[in-house]
Amino acid sequence: MKYIFEVHIREGYTAEDYADAWEHASELIQRSPGARGTELHRKIGDPDTLIAIAHWDSKASRDAMESQHNPDVAEIIRSAAPFCEIRPLGEFEDPEWVVNPPAEVPIR
């Protein structure tokens, strides 16, 4: 599953500042059972808007991590909170429908 949220950086802070905090928190969170990585993307044309995607084996894995208070993660998030607005976009199942480009055919 994927947990997706949008981040708006406030004036006086940068996306790089947020990314630094996000990476530190994510490194700790990724030690949790079921964690499968995170991504942080900058919005095209709006460098102060980011989208973050956390990948998990299941919603139960993510919920279990959330139920275990980690004071280090909480402090990192608390330290960045005044400088950004975070809006959860939701929790999504892994895709049921996928269309990939065809495999390349070797040129003879």
Side-chain angles (χ1 to χ4, degrees):
M1 64 91 51
K2 292 171 182 54
Y3 179 67
I4 303 174
F5 55 96
E6 187 176 61
V7 180
H8 292 275
I9 306 300
R10 294 190 174 126
E11 192 172 330
Y13 201 62
T14 67
E16 289 74 17
D17 293 330
Y18 178 78
D20 185 53
W22 177 82
E23 284 178 325
H24 285 95
S26 290
E27 287 169 355
L28 297 172
I29 293 168
Q30 290 306 302
R31 297 177 186 165
S32 302
R36 296 191 338 199
T38 58
E39 303 171 10
L40 190 61
H41 303 258
R42 192 184 312 255
K43 184 174 183 179
I44 295 171
D46 184 356
D48 293 330
T49 298
L50 310 169
I51 191 168
I53 304 169
H55 302 264
W56 290 87
D57 283 343
S58 66
K59 182 173 178 354
S61 295
R62 185 177 185 287
D63 290 349
M65 179 278 300
E66 285 283 321
S67 72
Q68 301 294 316
H69 178 72
N70 183 322
D72 295 329
V73 171
E75 177 54 32
I76 293 166
I77 292 170
R78 193 172 25 258
S79 71
F83 307 107
C84 59
E85 177 186 338
I86 298 174
R87 183 172 65 98
L89 298 179
E91 300 170 319
F92 298 83
E93 295 288 345
D94 282 335
E96 293 180 52
W97 307 272
V98 176
V99 177
N100 291 313
E104 288 188 39
V105 179
I107 300 174
R108 296 180 194 228

